[in-house]
Structure formats: C-alpha cells, structure tokens
Amino acid sequence: EEKINLKKLEGGFAAAVKFSGKPTEDVVRAKENELRKSLSKDGLKAKTGCMLARYNDPGRTWNFIMVMVPTSSKSLMSS
C-alpha cells in the first residue's frame, strides 16, 4: 500500500501519492481517482484537477500525483 502525505500550503494542503511505472494518461487518471477515494474516506474533498510531478534520481524515477485540499475541507492540523 502506498503512503499518502499531506503538506500545508497557503489556502490548503497538497495530498500526494507516489507510484512507479510509466505515467501514461490512463495511469495518471487511475492514481488520481485512488487518491481522491482515499481522501474521501477521511472526510476530505480535493479541489478539481491534479498535478503530475516526477523526481529523477540516477537509476530510478519517482512519480507523484498531487491534488489540493482546501483548509475548509477539514481541520487537519488539529489531529
């Protein structure tokens, strides 16, 4: 199971999930849907759209899907 990380940003949080493999459009959409479902289970609603980020390390590439979650969605910092 892949880990979801939250990072506080001005006006909300970014939720991200890391995955491996080639980030085709179908894979990116599937990972975005998985991330949104996971957030929904925790009572969070992400804004529309997502970002694909990639980190190239010698010998490996990491892919991340990120969505923005407004702070009004749920008080995350109090937990």
Side-chain angles (χ1 to χ4, degrees):
E1 184 172 311
E2 296 173 336
K3 185 178 174 183
I4 294 176
N5 296 303
L6 296 175
K7 179 180 178 182
K8 185 174 182 176
L9 299 175
E10 194 63 35
F13 293 83
V17 63
K18 181 173 79 169
F19 67 97
S20 59
K22 187 174 180 180
T24 64
E25 187 171 345
D26 289 340
V27 169
V28 168
R29 293 293 171 221
K31 292 298 179 181
E32 177 189 7
N33 288 335
E34 288 174 23
L35 178 56
R36 288 180 182 282
K37 285 179 186 176
S38 182
L39 290 169
S40 182
K41 286 180 185 177
D42 289 332
L44 300 170
K45 181 168 173 53
K47 293 181 180 180
T48 303
C50 72
M51 286 186 283
L52 169 65
R54 300 182 80 191
Y55 173 76
N56 292 317
D57 190 19
R60 83 177 83 165
T61 299
W62 295 339
N63 303 300
F64 301 88
I65 293 294
M66 295 181 283
V67 294
M68 293 299 299
V69 179
T71 53
S72 60
S73 181
K74 185 176 178 182
S75 178
L76 298 173
M77 295 307 285
S78 63
S79 21

